[in-house]
Every structure is written in structure tokens, then in C-alpha cells.
Amino acid sequence: MAAVSCTLSEEQLLCSICLEVFSAPVTTPCGHSFCSACINLHWHSSDSITCPLCKQDLSSTPHLKVNTVLAEMVSQLKVTPEDEDLDTEKEISEPQSPAPVEVDCEVSAPVEVDCDLCPEPRLRALKSCLVCLASYCQSHLQPHLTNPRLRRHQLIEALPNLEEHICPEHDRPLELFCRDHSHFLCLECSYREDQSHNTVHVKDECEAQQTEVEEQIKQRLLKIEEIRGSVELSQKNADSEIQDGIRVFNTLMECVQQSLDSFKQSIEEKHRKSEEEAAQLIEKIQTEISALEQREAEMERLWSSGDHLQFVQTFTSTKPAPALKDWTEETVRAPSYEGRVAKAVSELERNLYPQMEQIYKAELKKVKEFAVEVTLDPDTANPHLVLSEDLKQVHDSDHKKNLPENTKRFSSFLCVLGKQKFSSGKFYFEVQVKGKPGWVLGVAEESVDRKEQNTQTPQNGHWLIYMNGDEYETKEEPPVILPMRSTPEKVGVFVDYNEGLISFYDVSKTHLIFSFTDCCFTENILLLLNPCDNDDGTNSAPLVLTPVVK
């Protein structure tokens, strides 16, 4: 009879909103009672302030006070039934055969937890209830599986420290998680919390973290596919360029076989580097995927236990997400190998000039399609230089002009930069050098030192060729002497920024002078002209940016 009496009393003390025993019960002006958190949350999410039971309109949110009589009854209920239930459960457990139950609990519970209702010796608990704050063996768990009211309680794998799942202030389950501050809340805490905080159910947070890991794996698998696609494109471009080279060199007879082998080896080496780079990236991504898959497996194990709080605690604090690299911008660029055929052929020029001339004509015609209009930037010109009004010509005046000093202006070299900046793609321009025994031209990075007299080499951000009398050289260490059959009157400069290629052409003779390959550009590049010293009038002719005739 005690059990029946307790059940009747408990049914009378249920909140009609959450259907649980009252927590901090308050009474509305119409006489109905609810949990303080439940009624406030109900009004907060409703358009009108009405009683959930009788629907009486309360106009505005009333000031509610705790129903002390009802609260005392709830307090007594939480104390009294525990002893009575214990006696009843003892009677039920006595005829129970412990052996099979212990085996069952052993398999189900990852941590050995005793049933709170069993007499000594206690059986191992199978489940824990976050509402009753008790753990039950198979026998004492049956009311939670059959009683309609108890079936609403939240059951998890048996745990030894259930109090950690309960709010110490409001004695309610910690069902919510604040993402802003990474801490847990009960329902009543959430009402008092700042409503702007990002608060979600613990189960939702578990699912969100699982989804995040799955998405991270998906993104990395897609990145692998992207990298593999780049490698395939690299192979396709390499194959295409190799075939073009073979067709060219087949017309140059057996004497070019050695150069052909060298040409193929150069391209294949570059492609091999692309493959190696791709393999390294894939290996790094696979490593992250392995770590994420291991984390996913651990999540799945905790998720299957039903302990959402432990899940979030584990993967938020104890085992936070591993540091992952953002692969969005990482990729393996597929080289185009453009210009390598022309460079290989130029090395055979002394022996094969007639055949080479036809090749260069075709190459020059192709790069001229990328012609751009460029002008000179007077703010960068050395004070000794004179620029034309249209900013297309420059020469040395032999006299230093009184110009305002600025960080852009060259002071050590007789140089001037172009106004136009290039950070991708291809471009081509032409410079008239007719009548000049000395000149320097090419491209340079925007950040080159313009005050100190440093060596203007590729290592310092300059890619230049220069003429000094009858000698043509590259601005390298050591310089490369360029064999020339004639003095060029107009020099064409072609740049493929992405490929790292800079080629210089004798436009009149359709001859490739030299190519810088595998340049590593990391910033804007601009044209650079240096008309060199006037030399008492012998080198007074200007360098002229001329229109490109296609």
C-alpha cells in the first residue's frame, strides 16, 4: 500500500508542462502551479501571456513566487518514497537469480557500477537514470521500461558519478550546452542565461561535432581528388609538349638527338616534382583523415552509450579536436611547360639556324597574342633620367634633376619601372633598343631595393638581360654570355607569371635570345628599363616602348 500511496502522491505533484515532479513550483493568478523554469520558458516562447491549462489571459507577465507548501510536499516526496521503494525492490530482487544478470550487466556497462536498490551483495547496474539519480540492475530497471511516466526519464549507460550530470543549483539534468562559453546548463539555467548566447541541447551538440568531423573528412577527400586532377592535367600538358618537341626535333635530323633527350628529361623531371609534391600533400591529408577517423570511431563508441554529456565533455575538453590545416588554398599547380621547346632549340642555333628561324617565328607569333600596353612610372625614375610626355621613352640626361625624394625612386641605378603591375597570367611588350651600345631591360619585383647598389640578380628579384658594347649577358651570378649573330633593334619580353617563365626575343630576326625558367614569383612584377649612361652622347638614344605588330 505504501507504494500505491507514493505513486498517487507523485502523480499529483507533476508539472503539466514538463510532466515531471515540480522543481521550484510557482502558482499563477488563476491558481494553477508549474515549475518556475517551465512556465517562464513557456511565456518566453509564446505570443501571449496565458495559463497553459485554463487559457486565462494574464495580460502581462505576473510576478511569480514559489509555492512553499507545494515545494515542501515535493521535498518530502523525494525523501519518503526512496526508503519505501527500496523495501519493495528488495522483495523483487530476492527471488532473482544473480548469475545471468551479472553477466548481462558486465557486458553492457563499460564501468562497474552497483545497483542502488539491491541489497548486499549488489548486482551490477545496467543503466543509470538522470532524473532519479540512481543506477539499476536488470530487475530494478523494469519499472523504467514499463511505467509510462518513468519511461520518460532519461536512461544512459551506468555511471558512477551521476551528480556530475545534474545542475548543483537547480537539481535538474544538465541537458543544454553553451557554445559561447563551453559549459553545461539545465533548463532553468538557460532561462536565466543571456538569451543571446548560443545554447543547444547536449544531444544536438554531439550530432554537430560528429557532423563536423564527417565534413572535415569529406573536404579532405575532395582536396585529394583536386590534387589528383592537377597531376593528371600536368601529365596531359607534359605529354602534349613532349609530342610537340618530338615533331620539331625530328625535322632537325640525327644531330639533335642529344638535345631532344635533354629536353624530355627536363619536362619529365618537372612533372616528377609535381607528382612528388602531390604525393606529399596527399600523405599529409591522409594523416589528418586517419586522425579524424580515429576520433570519429571514439565518438561513435561514446555516442552508442547514450551519455551525451560525457560525449561533449570528452571531445570538448579531455580530447579536443586536433589541430587541422586549412587545405582550401593548398593545391598542386599543373605546369604548362610552355617555352621549353623554344629554349631547347635555341641551344642548337649555331648548327641549325635555318630550321630554328621557322620555329621562332611561330613561337613569337604565339606570344604576341598576349601583348599589353605598358608605360613608365615617373615616380620611380632615377633623377638623371628623362621621360617623354607619353611615358613611353627614357634616356640619360647626364644631369641630375632636383626632384622630391620618395621611397619609390631609384637612386643608385639609372632605372625606371613600369606603372602596370602583374601578378598572374601572361603578358608581352616590346622595347626599341636601336642605336644604343648599352642598355638593360627585363622585369623586377615591386619590392626591389631602389636605394642600395645591390646586385640586380634573380635572387634579388630582378630578371634582366643587358648589352655592353658587343657583349650580351644575363644579370645572374655568374652571368650567362648570350651568343648573338646580329645586334637587335627591338627586344620582345614575354612573361608567364604562373609558369615562372621570362623569354627575351630579337623581334626583327624572330630569334629567341634567352629564357629564365622556373622563376619563383611571390609578388607583383613590373617592367624595368635602364638606358645606361649617356657616355658623352654615344649612348644618348632612348629606350622606347613600341606598339606590338602582330
Side-chain angles (χ1 to χ4, degrees), residues 56-74:
Q56 179 180 336
D57 188 359
L58 303 178
S59 300
S60 59
T61 304
H63 178 66
L64 301 177
K65 296 183 178 179
V66 175
N67 187 323
T68 54
V69 176
L70 199 55
E72 180 64 25
M73 294 174 64
V74 170

Side-chain angles (χ1 to χ4, degrees), residues 81-145:
E82 183 177 352
D83 297 330
E84 296 177 354
D85 286 346
L86 184 60
D87 293 337
T88 305
E89 295 298 342
K90 284 181 180 179
E91 295 175 3
I92 297 175
S93 63
E94 284 175 357
Q96 189 89 4
S97 177
V101 176
E102 258 192 69
V103 173
D104 226 7
C105 294
E106 179 81 22
V107 174
S108 301
V111 179
E112 185 174 329
V113 179
D114 293 335
C115 175
D116 290 327
L117 299 185
C118 283
E120 296 293 346
R122 297 186 178 187
L123 299 180
R124 290 182 181 175
L126 186 65
K127 295 287 183 180
S128 295
C129 177
L130 293 181
V131 178
C132 302
L133 286 185
S135 299
Y136 304 107
C137 65
Q138 186 177 32
S139 174
H140 293 122
L141 182 64
Q142 292 308 309
H144 277 77
L145 302 178

Side-chain angles (χ1 to χ4, degrees), residues 338-340 342-344 346 363 463 465 474 476 482 494 500-505 512-519:
E338 187 172 355
R340 291 180 179 264
K343 180 182 179 181
S346 71
E363 183 77 14
W463 293 269
I465 63 172
T474 64
E476 293 184 284
L482 305 175
F494 171 71
L501 171 68
I502 306 172
S503 296
F504 299 86
Y505 295 88
L512 177 65
I513 301 174
F514 184 77
S515 289
F516 291 98
T517 57
D518 299 328
C519 305

Side-chain angles (χ1 to χ4, degrees), residues 352-362 509-510:
L352 303 168
Y353 182 76
Q355 295 90 339
M356 291 166 55
E357 186 175 10
Q358 297 301 318
I359 296 172
Y360 290 137
K361 281 183 179 180
K509 301 297 183 179
T510 62

Side-chain angles (χ1 to χ4, degrees), residues 205-217 299:
E205 179 65 15
C206 294
E207 294 173 346
Q209 292 194 16
Q210 284 183 309
T211 301
E212 181 181 3
V213 172
E214 292 171 358
E215 183 62 27
Q216 290 170 339
I217 294 174
M299 284 182 167

Side-chain angles (χ1 to χ4, degrees), residues 399-413:
H399 300 287
K400 183 177 181 180
K401 298 189 291 294
N402 185 17
L403 298 174
E405 181 59 31
N406 66 65
T407 57
K408 296 181 180 180
R409 193 178 306 283
F410 284 93
S411 57
S412 297
F413 293 99

Side-chain angles (χ1 to χ4, degrees), residues 220-472:
R220 279 149 184 79
L221 290 174
L222 290 175
K223 178 56 67 174
I224 290 176
E225 290 302 315
E226 178 187 333
I227 293 173
R228 286 173 175 162
S230 296
V231 174
E232 291 175 1
L233 181 58
S234 172
Q235 183 67 66
K236 180 180 178 181
N237 292 340
D239 292 342
S240 175
E241 192 74 2
I242 289 174
Q243 291 305 315
D244 289 344
I246 292 175
R247 286 192 294 270
V248 170
F249 281 92
N250 281 340
T251 65
L252 304 179
M253 305 176 68
E254 294 297 327
C255 65
V256 302
Q257 187 61 51
Q258 184 177 359
S259 296
L260 176 58
D261 293 340
S262 176
F263 161 79
K264 293 173 63 177
Q265 181 180 359
S266 173
I267 291 181
E268 290 170 348
E269 178 64 22
K270 189 172 182 67
H271 172 66
R272 185 160 50 251
K273 288 181 180 179
S274 296
E275 284 186 319
E276 292 172 356
E277 182 181 355
Q280 291 174 358
L281 283 177
I282 290 174
E283 182 179 359
K284 291 178 181 178
I285 297 176
Q286 289 285 19
T287 301
E288 288 195 357
I289 290 176
S290 297
L292 290 170
E293 287 176 339
Q294 181 179 357
R295 184 174 176 83
E296 184 182 38
E298 294 175 354
M299 284 182 167
E300 184 63 30
R301 181 178 63 79
L302 275 182
W303 174 259
S304 62
S305 73
D307 186 1
H308 302 150
L309 178 67
Q310 181 65 28
F311 184 104
V312 178
Q313 282 181 328
T314 300
F315 295 104
T316 302
S317 302
T318 308
K319 295 181 179 179
L324 299 176
K325 181 178 179 62
D326 183 4
W327 296 100
T328 305
E329 301 299 328
E330 291 286 340
T331 188
V332 175
R333 185 184 61 81
S336 67
Y337 308 97
E338 187 172 355
R340 291 180 179 264
V341 173
K343 180 182 179 181
V345 174
S346 71
E347 296 173 354
L348 298 171
E349 181 182 11
R350 287 173 296 181
N351 300 323
L352 303 168
Y353 182 76
Q355 295 90 339
M356 291 166 55
E357 186 175 10
Q358 297 301 318
I359 296 172
Y360 290 137
K361 281 183 179 180
E363 183 77 14
L364 184 58
K365 181 179 179 181
K366 183 166 59 175
V367 300
K368 281 187 175 183
E369 296 299 321
F370 300 98
V372 296
E373 183 177 358
V374 288
T375 55
L376 303 174
D377 184 357
D379 291 337
T380 65
N382 184 287
H384 289 85
L385 298 181
V386 177
L387 275 60
S388 62
E389 291 186 3
D390 62 358
L391 302 178
K392 295 283 189 176
Q393 303 183 27
V394 58
H395 69 274
D396 177 33
S397 67
D398 269 345
H399 300 287
K400 183 177 181 180
K401 298 189 291 294
N402 185 17
L403 298 174
E405 181 59 31
N406 66 65
T407 57
K408 296 181 180 180
R409 193 178 306 283
F410 284 93
S411 57
S412 297
F413 293 99
L414 297 176
C415 295
V416 60
L417 295 174
K419 280 189 174 182
Q420 291 71 26
K421 303 175 183 180
F422 301 92
S423 59
S424 63
K426 305 172 184 179
F427 62 94
Y428 173 84
F429 61 90
E430 293 180 351
V431 183
Q432 179 180 300
V433 297
K434 183 178 179 180
K436 291 188 66 61
W439 47 263
V440 180
L441 61 86
V443 296
E445 292 182 338
E446 186 177 12
S447 64
V448 293
D449 193 331
R450 309 177 192 189
K451 304 301 180 183
E452 299 297 328
Q453 197 162 357
N454 296 324
T455 306
Q456 292 183 316
T457 63
Q459 292 75 18
N460 292 328
H462 302 78
W463 293 269
L464 309 170
I465 63 172
Y466 75 98
M467 176 186 180
N468 183 16
D470 294 330
E471 191 173 64
Y472 295 84

Side-chain angles (χ1 to χ4, degrees), residues 161-204:
N161 300 317
L162 285 175
E163 62 275 5
E164 294 180 1
H165 292 66
I166 302 301
C167 175
E169 181 179 356
H170 304 112
D171 200 27
R172 283 196 161 204
L174 295 171
E175 302 177 87
L176 304 175
F177 178 71
C178 178
R179 288 174 172 170
D180 294 335
H181 300 96
S182 297
H183 67 260
F184 298 95
L185 310 167
C186 71
L187 201 60
E188 190 162 345
C189 288
S190 67
Y191 173 71
R192 301 181 181 182
E193 189 84 1
D194 187 345
Q195 297 300 313
S196 64
H197 287 191
N198 185 7
T199 304
V200 297
H201 197 278
V202 173
K203 180 180 178 181
D204 294 336

